[in-house]
Amino acid sequence: MPGGDDGSLRRALAALWRDPPAVAGTGVLLLLVVVGVAGSWLAPAGINDVDVDRMLQPPSWEHPFGTDELGRDVLSRVLVAARVSLQVGLVSVGIALAVGVSVGLLAGYYRGWADSVLMRAMDVLFAFPVLLLAVAIVAVLGPGLLTAMVAIGVVYTPIFARVTRAGVLSVREQVFVRAAISIGASDLRIMRRHVLPNIAAPLIVQTSLSLAFAILSEAALSFLGLGVQPPAPAWGRMLYDGRGFVTDAWWLGFFPGAAIFLTVLAFNLVGDALRDVLDPRQLTVSEARRSTS
């Protein structure tokens, strides 16, 4: 089974490290993980500590992100809400990755009727707009964090199924796969040892990009009241609560919106860098440029 050696891995990591946007995006994501894990300890105040005497105060040393209409500290709520966004992104994309890869692997490897049935089912899901399908699923199952994760996972499953199937159709015709079939290796072993490792690169890129869109989808569902339910903080819900104070208290919408923007931008920067780094043609071109410079 051909695969990347240690030298290729080192070159890929070195190329990633030389990309300033990728380094910046990775730094933001690492900060997001730290905040998501330790947000409750980093928050300077309780997320639901109501103080009507301090309502709608602008950013200050005491409240760096200001206070909301109930006097709650906006910084604390933004920090704790990071855990929700990170949890939804990881779980929902994990669901989409597991189901989509399984479907695409079976469809691409066995082809025939299995390919037709499985991929037509994916085409049905793919025909719906992402947010509309997610709203429909949440409306049926009921609003909440768990249903939001399931809904987002379902709507992104067809993307992973298509990416996987395309890779499998190409790898299946390679000599090393035909050799494994000729010596009597089981289908499960061939898919696990020979096919999956050789289609991992596009799946890694798709995962990083899907995490960004999953966080956006969760924010949209929370904004519509179908995601995380009050009083638990969520960036999308905080945007909804601050929509009526745009002129009088700009900080209510600015800081959760900035958190969404930076998180999605970081995932996209890392995803674009991974796409370039994991593409052998791009890596060869970059090496050729360095050798002639």
Side-chain angles (χ1 to χ4, degrees):
M1 175 188 67
D5 54 13
D6 293 340
S8 299
L9 179 59
R10 285 195 298 269
R11 288 194 298 271
L13 293 176
L16 190 64
W17 180 252
R18 287 192 298 269
D19 188 350
V23 174
T26 303
V28 172
L29 295 182
L30 291 176
L31 179 61
L32 175 67
V33 172
V34 172
V35 171
V37 173
S40 300
W41 291 277
L42 296 175
I47 58 175
N48 291 315
D49 291 347
V50 176
D51 187 353
V52 293
D53 294 331
R54 298 175 180 268
M55 58 185 295
L56 296 180
Q57 288 190 350
S60 61
W61 287 109
E62 185 179 2
H63 300 285
F65 286 6
T67 60
D68 63 8
E69 70 278 9
L70 297 177
R72 298 174 297 188
D73 184 68
V74 175
L75 173 60
S76 300
R77 294 178 64 79
V78 169
L79 291 176
V80 174
R83 177 185 300 177
V84 174
S85 295
L86 193 61
Q87 180 181 359
V88 170
L90 292 175
V91 173
S92 59
V93 173
I95 294 173
L97 180 64
V99 178
V101 169
S102 299
V103 170
L105 192 60
L106 294 175
Y109 186 82
Y110 289 109
R111 294 182 290 189
W113 67 267
D115 187 16
S116 299
V117 172
L118 293 174
M119 295 313 297
R120 294 302 77 76
M122 294 296 102
D123 288 342
V124 171
L125 293 177
F126 205 76
F128 290 92
V130 171
L131 185 57
L132 179 61
L133 181 57
V135 169
I137 295 173
V138 173
V140 172
L141 300 179
L145 178 61
L146 179 60
T147 53
M149 292 188 293
V150 172
I152 296 171
V154 169
V155 299
Y156 284 109
T157 294
I159 299 177
F160 285 97
R162 286 189 168 192
V163 171
T164 303
R165 176 181 177 272
V168 172
L169 289 176
S170 175
V171 173
R172 192 182 188 280
E173 303 303 322
Q174 298 296 319
V175 175
F176 58 90
V177 174
R178 293 183 174 275
I181 295 175
S182 66
I183 63 175
S186 65
D187 293 342
L188 181 60
R189 179 179 177 83
I190 294 173
M191 288 187 283
R192 180 170 56 88
R193 296 291 301 274
H194 300 283
V195 177
L196 275 178
N198 285 279
I199 63 172
L203 290 176
I204 292 172
V205 175
Q206 185 59 53
T207 298
S208 63
L209 296 176
S210 295
L211 284 169
F213 292 113
I215 290 175
L216 272 179
S217 299
E218 183 277 327
L221 290 176
S222 295
F223 184 87
L224 296 173
L226 299 174
V228 179
Q229 299 299 298
W235 290 338
R237 183 68 192 188
M238 294 176 70
L239 283 175
Y240 176 83
D241 293 337
R243 78 194 190 286
F245 302 93
V246 175
T247 57
D248 299 326
W250 56 268
W251 55 90
L252 295 185
F254 175 80
F255 289 111
I260 297 172
F261 169 77
L262 290 175
T263 301
V264 173
L265 177 62
F267 274 117
N268 282 325
L269 289 176
V270 174
D272 289 342
L274 286 174
R275 180 188 57 200
D276 295 338
V277 167
L278 295 176
D279 187 347
R281 293 168 298 180
Q282 295 289 340
L283 194 59
T284 301
V285 170
S286 62
E287 289 178 346
R289 289 176 178 175
R290 289 199 305 273
S291 63
T292 56
S293 61

